[in-house]
Amino acid sequence: MPQANASKMLCEVKSHQGKPTMFVNGVPRFPMAYTSYYPEPFRYKQMGEHGVHFYSVTLTLTDKWLGGDKPVKWNTPGLWRGPGEVDLSVVEASLKKILDADPNALIFPRIYCDSPAWWDLLHPEETNGEGALGGQARRQSFSSLAWRRDAAAAVEKIVRAVTLSKYGTHVIGFMVTAGGTEELAKAYDPSACAQKRFREWLLEQYGKDPAALERLFGGKAEALAIPPFDACAKGDCGNFLDPQKSRLVIDYRRFQSLEIVDSALAFCRAVKEGSDGRLIAGLFYGYTRIWPDTGHLALRRVLDCKDVDFVTTAGGFSYTETDSVLKAGKLFYSEIDTRTSLSQWISKLRPDIDPQGLYNEKRWFGPPTIPESLQRLKAVFAQNLVNGWANWWFDLWGGWYDDEAFLRMFAQMQAVGDESLRHPRQSAAQIAVVLDENAYRYLPYGAAQNGGKFAWIIAQLNAVAAVGAPYDFYLLDDLSDLDLSRYRMVVFLNSFALSEDQRQMIRSRCMTDRRLLVWMYAPGLISDRLSADNISSLLDMDVRMAAAHPKAQVTVKRATGVTNYEGAAVSPFLYVAGGADAAVGQTAEGQAVVAEKQEAGCRNLFVSMPPLPAHVLRHYAGQAGVHLYGEAGCTVYASESYLALLASGRQTVRLPKRAALKEVLALRKGASSLSEGEAFPVGTAFDMDFSEYPCRVFRVLAQ
């Protein structure tokens, strides 16, 4: 790679207008980007011509596929050719392709860091042996310190070469990836390498005292091993792991996540060292909503690391606790892989890549028309814009946006995003939703993933999103120092395992200011032991526990009417036997499963058979003083300067204070381009029609 003077590029993430923001050479930027696994120069060119100048490009250290279950080919060869040998010509060619098409490009390559086959053969004890994954027999263990060291050295070499090259003034950072689909996913690893590390880790956790380990787990320390998968997939108190019976499984779940994260952090550190701290580093992580079994239970460790500048999840929306990411001063960079009417199977576009049609699945198709596709892309972008996230459009196989209508939309999105940086962007939400990544360690594999026994957690989060008011989404431990003053309602999704310190923190910080606290299913059930008494003492209600309860109709009676909903099957089954002010929700047998209790500083609402429907949550939110912008079923994103609503039909939109609204990114049903939006004069209530355009985005002009 041609050498030049050291790059003058400086890219960093700093607070700006209330949100973490990318700064490039001291200038705040709205870094909406484009990327594809199989890029073509003309697509870079058309993006640049429409004002999009940020790009990512995929590089890989290995010739193996991404670690998914369907092996197809990379478009570029692996860079890591042998010990100490990195093919920089591939990197140069990838960067040159972008810059030839768009001389104003700013690029953050992503480097897939899985081990090459030659490395596996040199270090068989550091791999998963012959366990097939993605059609390839060997993969490195995330517990391999040798892989971390060697791969990090390769990453640092690439970064340093790029920053010193003639391309250095166009490269703003690097994203490091590994594991399944690049997203640091690995479900279970009983390899010899992981077994050794697990024993060492247990000794570190318990004071390097073999006798203490023997007392806790029974058996000699040197005989301790990763539990068999069957033991990890079976609860011993209904759908929970009892800490007195399954401590080894619970510890293994934590260990697994830490090993994955520590590997990725080693690569982020290599980016910082290779660029002398001048470039940003990021990674995929935090898929707690959908992948808690794949090592995604250590987001706090990621957020505490100074070498991480941005965190990413796919899907275009949030699979993670985005407001924890922002609170930690990191940029949340959303990967939008939303399909369009132009999406096709890769086997048709590139038969050389997928000759067997392994990806010929309906999920790769989008809406049938361009106008419908534009509506969908606009709705996804609205959430990113209002919440202060960054995003890139992931044109996976290529061709998803090959129409002028999409390109014009991207141009207008970029202009709106650039303009947003000039205005205050703090969240306006008065609802906080908290999820505890630690609690998932007390669930067996499969319980909270892929439609398992705790699938109601996602359903409950979706119901919160439909109350007609915005919400912020945090990790539980953020409550210890979060400014709670504007939150009138806090929803605890899965606070199943609370230490005494956490309970005291919640009492002193959350159970104040006449706030509404909504507790789902089994709050505080687990401490040193698993007992319903732990819930009773937290909520000041008499909570009892039975073995299980199937799905059942729950009848909620309020002054405004009666609601019936289907409560999820639960095991153990928890119900209120006394101590509540009102048992408002009951099963057909008369057991109280939705109950209220007024305390000195707060009101507790306990829901032991979730998910509670959106319109019932809306009733309680209104009672708590939460401002409701729209009707039940309306999804709202709101900041100091922007408001987006996803709704249907006609309804009245209400603002918390007087302001004028100016619609941006207006798109009429059936139209193939954006048009001038409506302007609403100063007021607090506005009649709006969502029948033709279900997503509307407004600039809030405060008076």
Side-chain angles (χ1 to χ4, degrees):
M1 181 174 290
Q3 300 295 299
N5 293 329
S7 167
K8 299 299 183 182
M9 173 62 69
L10 174 61
C11 187
E12 54 193 333
V13 174
K14 301 188 295 184
S15 181
H16 175 70
Q17 298 285 16
K19 295 287 185 180
T21 302
M22 183 186 292
F23 280 72
V24 179
N25 291 330
V27 179
R29 300 294 298 268
F30 186 81
M32 189 177 82
Y34 170 84
T35 189
S36 173
Y37 277 146
Y38 309 105
E40 297 289 346
F42 79 89
R43 293 195 175 109
Y44 291 139
K45 186 174 188 296
Q46 64 190 16
M47 284 290 171
E49 289 173 346
H50 287 80
V52 178
H53 298 297
F54 284 82
Y55 305 90
S56 186
V57 61
T58 301
L59 304 171
T60 173
L61 298 184
T62 176
D63 287 323
K64 299 173 187 173
W65 178 237
L66 297 175
D69 58 349
K70 295 180 175 65
V72 298
K73 300 176 183 177
W74 283 99
N75 197 41
T76 56
L79 304 177
W80 194 9
R81 300 300 178 83
E85 181 185 350
V86 176
D87 186 350
L88 296 172
S89 66
V90 175
V91 182
E92 178 178 11
S94 296
L95 299 176
K96 184 177 186 299
K97 182 188 290 187
I98 298 174
L99 287 163
D100 284 349
D102 181 4
N104 296 314
L106 293 170
I107 309 165
F108 55 104
R110 65 200 233 189
I111 304 176
Y112 186 54
C113 298
D114 269 28
S115 59
W118 65 260
W119 190 94
D120 297 341
L121 294 175
L122 289 177
H123 306 276
E125 72 285 355
E126 304 287 332
T127 72
N128 63 349
E130 297 300 324
L133 178 60
Q136 292 138 17
R138 290 184 187 271
R139 291 275 173 170
Q140 80 286 337
S141 169
F142 275 100
S143 291
S144 170
L145 300 184
W147 166 64
R148 290 183 200 174
R149 178 197 65 227
D150 294 351
V155 169
E156 183 178 349
K157 186 172 185 176
I158 293 168
V159 173
R160 190 165 297 281
V162 168
T163 57
L164 294 175
S165 76
K166 64 181 181 181
Y167 304 106
T169 54
H170 292 273
V171 174
I172 60 174
F174 288 81
M175 183 177 187
V176 293
T177 72
T181 60
E182 295 191 274
E183 293 163 299
L184 295 175
K186 182 70 175 78
Y188 179 74
D189 179 10
S191 65
C193 177
Q195 297 281 7
K196 178 176 180 293
R197 284 277 297 162
F198 185 50
R199 283 189 290 272
E200 295 170 349
W201 182 82
L202 287 172
L203 281 168
E204 292 173 2
Q205 297 303 302
Y206 295 100
K208 298 186 178 180
D209 182 359
L213 286 180
E214 292 171 18
R215 288 192 300 271
L216 186 61
F217 298 112
K220 297 294 184 182
E222 58 269 20
L224 288 173
I226 293 170
F229 185 81
D230 287 349
C232 295
K234 180 175 61 177
D236 41 36
C237 181
N239 295 320
F240 286 103
L241 299 169
D242 188 326
Q244 295 183 322
K245 299 176 182 178
S246 298
R247 171 56 58 185
L248 196 63
V249 175
I250 294 166
D251 280 349
Y252 172 66
R253 298 208 63 178
R254 181 178 178 222
F255 165 80
Q256 174 203 21
S257 291
L258 294 177
E259 291 289 88
I260 288 174
V261 163
D262 286 352
S263 297
L265 296 185
F267 306 146
C268 288
R269 193 171 306 114
V271 172
K272 291 298 184 180
E273 292 174 354
S275 66
D276 297 323
R278 299 180 65 85
L279 304 185
I280 60 172
L283 71 171
F284 284 111
Y285 199 71
Y287 288 64
T288 40
R289 282 181 56 182
I290 59 167
W291 288 351
D293 294 345
T294 61
H296 279 254
L297 300 180
L299 179 60
R300 175 54 57 200
R301 199 175 188 94
V302 171
L303 300 183
D304 286 343
C305 181
K306 63 180 177 58
D307 297 318
V308 175
D309 299 290
F310 67 90
V311 174
T312 297
T313 65
F317 44 89
S318 163
Y319 286 135
T320 195
E321 297 76 12
T322 47
D323 292 286
S324 291
V325 175
L326 302 180
K327 177 175 174 290
K330 317 293 186 186
L331 187 66
F332 180 68
Y333 224 134
S334 173
E335 178 178 270
I336 302 179
D337 56 4
T338 304
R339 286 60 155 160
T340 75
S341 58
L342 302 183
S343 303
Q344 300 183 58
W345 286 330
I346 187 175
S347 61
K348 181 177 180 180
L349 294 173
R350 297 291 302 270
D352 57 316
I353 299 295
D354 185 16
Q356 304 301 318
L358 296 176
Y359 276 86
N360 289 2
E361 300 167 323
K362 289 183 179 179
R363 67 190 176 104
W364 295 109
F365 293 136
T369 68
I370 285 177
E372 290 172 287
S373 301
L374 292 169
Q375 291 279 1
R376 183 174 294 184
L377 297 185
K378 175 187 170 183
V380 176
F381 178 78
Q383 183 179 20
N384 287 258
L385 172 74
V386 179
N387 289 336
W389 307 344
N391 75 279
W392 68 74
W393 301 99
F394 194 9
D395 190 10
L396 268 83
W397 326 128
W400 291 13
Y401 315 124
D402 284 356
D403 188 277
E404 184 63 24
F406 294 118
L407 299 174
R408 286 197 302 267
M409 172 180 266
F410 293 154
Q412 289 169 290
M413 287 174 171
Q414 183 68 56
V416 169
D418 290 341
E419 200 263 346
S420 74
L421 298 180
R422 298 196 287 271
H423 307 292
R425 296 184 293 155
Q426 286 275 19
S427 169
Q430 295 176 306
I431 300 173
V433 179
V434 295
L435 187 143
D436 184 15
E437 59 182 358
N438 176 66
Y440 281 128
R441 297 194 293 119
Y442 294 85
L443 306 183
Y445 278 109
Q449 194 161 307
N450 298 327
K453 300 295 185 181
F454 289 81
W456 59 260
I457 293 176
I458 302 302
Q460 190 64 79
L461 192 57
N462 292 339
V464 174
V467 302
Y471 72 90
D472 291 338
F473 193 27
Y474 294 100
L475 289 169
L476 175 71
D477 60 11
D478 275 309
L479 295 176
S480 63
D481 61 355
L482 178 66
D483 180 2
L484 294 167
S485 58
R486 63 181 162 89
Y487 296 112
R488 304 310 311 145
M489 176 176 170
V490 180
V491 181
F492 294 84
L493 280 179
N494 71 331
S495 302
F496 311 139
L498 296 176
S499 67
E500 185 55 38
D501 286 346
Q502 287 175 313
R503 292 161 74 95
Q504 291 299 330
M505 178 270 292
I506 289 169
R507 289 191 182 101
S508 64
R509 304 209 72 246
C510 301
M511 293 182 169
T512 58
D513 297 333
R514 303 182 65 80
R515 192 175 286 116
L516 173 68
L517 306 184
V518 184
W519 303 91
M520 296 300 170
Y521 182 40
L525 175 68
I526 301 168
S527 57
D528 293 334
R529 62 189 183 92
L530 189 154
S531 171
D533 292 344
N534 295 331
I535 305 175
S536 299
S537 61
L538 177 69
L539 303 183
D540 197 22
M541 303 180 196
D542 182 8
V543 179
R544 305 288 177 86
M545 184 166 67
H549 201 296
K551 286 184 180 180
Q553 179 175 282
V554 176
T555 300
V556 178
K557 296 180 179 179
R558 296 168 287 126
T560 55
V562 176
T563 296
N564 294 309
Y565 75 91
E566 185 178 75
V570 289
S571 180
F573 171 55
L574 301 157
Y575 61 96
V576 177
D581 294 340
V584 296
Q586 297 183 331
T587 63
E589 301 83 10
Q591 293 159 311
V593 293
V594 182
E596 304 173 23
K597 180 66 177 286
Q598 182 66 50
E599 299 290 346
C602 72
R603 189 165 189 82
N604 287 317
L605 177 65
F606 175 42
V607 183
S608 69
M609 289 191 75
L612 198 64
H615 66 278
V616 179
L617 280 170
R618 174 186 171 82
H619 163 78
Y620 283 105
Q623 282 190 336
V626 172
H627 178 78
L628 302 172
Y629 291 76
E631 303 299 327
C634 177
T635 297
V636 179
Y637 312 120
S639 69
E640 293 175 285
S641 302
Y642 288 88
L643 173 67
L645 305 101
L646 282 71
S648 59
R650 298 190 67 90
Q651 62 177 268
T652 300
V653 174
R654 294 177 171 83
L655 303 183
K657 57 185 178 181
R658 287 174 58 81
L661 297 178
K662 172 61 178 174
E663 190 169 13
V664 298
L665 301 175
L667 183 65
R668 303 300 183 243
K669 186 176 181 180
S672 60
S673 64
L674 298 170
S675 59
E676 185 70 18
E678 287 189 73
F680 292 86
V682 175
T684 57
F686 307 94
D687 291 328
M688 293 188 186
D689 187 358
F690 293 87
S691 55
E692 291 190 357
Y693 28 99
C695 175
R696 302 188 69 173
V697 186
F698 300 92
R699 169 90 164 83
V700 179
L701 306 172
Q703 298 297 307

